[in-house]
Amino acid sequence: MSRLTKQLLDSKVIGQDEKLLFEARQIRFRNLIHPMSLIITDKQIIIYAPQWTGHDIKSYGFRADRRLLDITVDSGVRRSSIIIRGMTDTIKFSDIRRNLASQALRAIRQAAE
């Protein structure tokens, strides 16, 4: 369990009964100072974006009103990205290691079952 996951547990973003399925951090290519993190639990998808004056947390639950419609994995030579389209919004998480986007897809499928 990473320091970020412990911080999210302490701030009650992740519940004590949630199981961590996947965690990834952006490659420091585009976001040199503040790379974002993608965390997938059995109940939600969390995008953690640190900023100069704090952080921004976006949480997308696996409830019926946020049903996932399409998940696209785009793999390049060194980097990959995952695009998740739901009924209400779209999540794009890019610049992660090449094999991590497909691992995130497997974690989302496991959580959505």
Side-chain angles (χ1 to χ4, degrees):
M1 184 180 295
S2 70
R3 182 179 56 87
L4 174 61
T5 307
K6 290 178 185 175
Q7 178 185 353
L8 293 175
L9 273 167
D10 292 341
S11 63
K12 309 245 189 273
V13 174
I14 298 176
Q16 295 293 333
D17 60 337
E18 288 186 56
K19 180 181 172 188
L20 181 66
L21 300 176
F22 179 79
E23 184 173 2
R25 190 173 182 182
Q26 280 182 325
I27 297 173
R28 292 179 180 242
F29 176 70
R30 244 183 235 165
N31 242 345
L32 290 174
I33 299 172
H34 298 299
M36 295 190 314
S37 295
L38 172 69
I39 299 164
I40 301 172
T41 68
D42 59 345
K43 295 185 180 179
Q44 61 183 331
I45 299 170
I46 301 168
I47 304 284
Y48 178 85
Q51 299 172 346
W52 287 103
T53 59
H55 58 272
D56 184 29
I57 298 174
K58 295 179 183 174
S59 175
Y60 304 92
F62 291 115
R63 299 184 318 239
D65 61 335
R66 292 194 183 245
R67 199 169 311 142
L68 300 176
L69 299 176
D70 184 38
I71 302 172
T72 305
V73 172
D74 182 22
S75 292
V77 175
R78 300 182 74 191
R79 296 183 305 264
S80 62
S81 62
I82 184 165
I83 302 166
I84 305 165
R85 289 181 186 86
M87 295 203 49
T88 57
D89 45 10
T90 301
I91 306 166
K92 182 171 182 180
F93 194 79
S94 58
D95 292 333
I96 56 177
R97 277 187 253 129
R98 184 172 176 252
N99 60 345
L100 290 181
S102 59
Q103 290 177 9
L105 175 62
R106 281 192 293 266
I108 291 170
R109 285 182 178 163
Q110 179 183 355
E113 291 178 347

